[in-house]
Amino acid sequence: MTTPRRQFLGLTTGLLTGGLISTAMNSRAAAQSPGQQPQWANPVHRVANAMSVPKAEVPRDVPGKAALKRGLDMARQSLEISRNQVRDYTAILVKREQVDGTIGEHEYMSIKVRNRKVSGGQLLQPFSVYISFLKPSSVKGREVIYVENRNDGKLTAHEGGFKGRFLPTVSLPVDGMLAMRGQRYPLTEIGVENMIVKLIERGEKALRYEDVTCEFRRGAKLKDRVCTVLEVTQPTQRPDAEFYQAQVFMDDQLNMPIRYIAYHWPTRDGQPGQVIEEYNYLNLKVNVGLTDADFDPNNKAYNFYS
């Protein structure tokens, strides 16, 4: 069993994620939108306990930043809604990430998330995640659970399919070499609320530079959801700039971002840049009443110990 266990550990390392706001989209974005192409994938992400993102001090001589400031205001409002009104949610997460210069294929997963809730400095509800991989076939059936402050801070995972019949369920450090293989972010950065925080951080950084441009597009659709899209472009490849262009789809009804995609700087004029990361939260349903059983590996509906 030594060799199969090593193989399993290698397979479970590339587990997970961790993620600004279509008719009005440009042709490239529309061509790659998950709602219109079957071969797309996903989230971004953020630290689960990030509780505040300071506003940038923007120089007075920086013109044309009204749209980006407006987008940041929308993101901050969305963050407040998430923290104050959203206890939990389910979604189909579709992601695609570039790691070590290689763009991975789209991965589809069914996720359950409970948001971190704190009151008076006391943790009332720990950040909790359950993931069931749907496709591609190489990961189908894989399940992962993480609950803040439990299992010594480790995630619990097992393989699906034929491999899952004889390979054991394992616990792995979320930021260890195995769990991070093939991933841009640790599992603790998965989820809509974490994605909002990261988007605000990146937006505040972009706001400081004069040549950064942004624009809104209304009436875009991601599958059956009507969205407002914010597109940010950074022409200058600065050391601290993380993307050339990023697009965020903000669900108009939920007031939450459900798609984020970022591109590298084009290597040739007129050519699109490579995708850095893409995250889509489809069929997002909030406050569905998830319980501790939804994040328990011993749940008989799961296959961790079947």
Side-chain angles (χ1 to χ4, degrees), residues 1 18 23 42 46 53 75 90 120 133 146 155 159 184 188 201-202 214 219 248 258 284-285 293 299:
M1 290 295 291
T23 321
N42 182 77
R46 199 55 201 146
V53 182
T90 60
F133 284 76
Y146 170 80
L155 60 81
E159 281 293 351
R184 291 182 67 85
T188 48
E201 291 176 348
R202 291 177 176 178
C214 59
V248 180
I258 58 173
L284 180 64
K285 297 178 180 179
N299 188 326

Side-chain angles (χ1 to χ4, degrees), residues 217-228:
R217 300 187 179 98
R218 296 192 178 278
K221 281 194 174 182
L222 184 63
K223 293 188 74 73
D224 59 342
R225 306 301 297 181
V226 178
C227 301
T228 296

Side-chain angles (χ1 to χ4, degrees), residues 269-288:
D269 291 341
Q271 297 294 318
Q274 287 189 328
V275 171
I276 301 172
E277 54 191 3
E278 176 189 355
Y279 306 94
N280 306 272
Y281 288 83
L282 307 182
N283 197 28
L284 180 64
K285 297 178 180 179
V286 303
N287 297 331
V288 296

Side-chain angles (χ1 to χ4, degrees), residues 2 7 12 14 55 59 81 90 92 99 107 114 140 146 152-153 187 193 212 217 237 239 241 257 275 278 281 284:
T2 302
Q7 292 173 343
T12 54
K55 291 186 177 181
I81 290 173
T90 60
I92 300 298
V99 180
E107 292 182 345
R114 282 198 304 192
K140 184 178 180 179
Y146 170 80
D152 295 324
L187 179 59
E193 188 168 301
V212 174
R217 300 187 179 98
Q237 193 168 1
V275 171
E278 176 189 355
Y281 288 83
L284 180 64

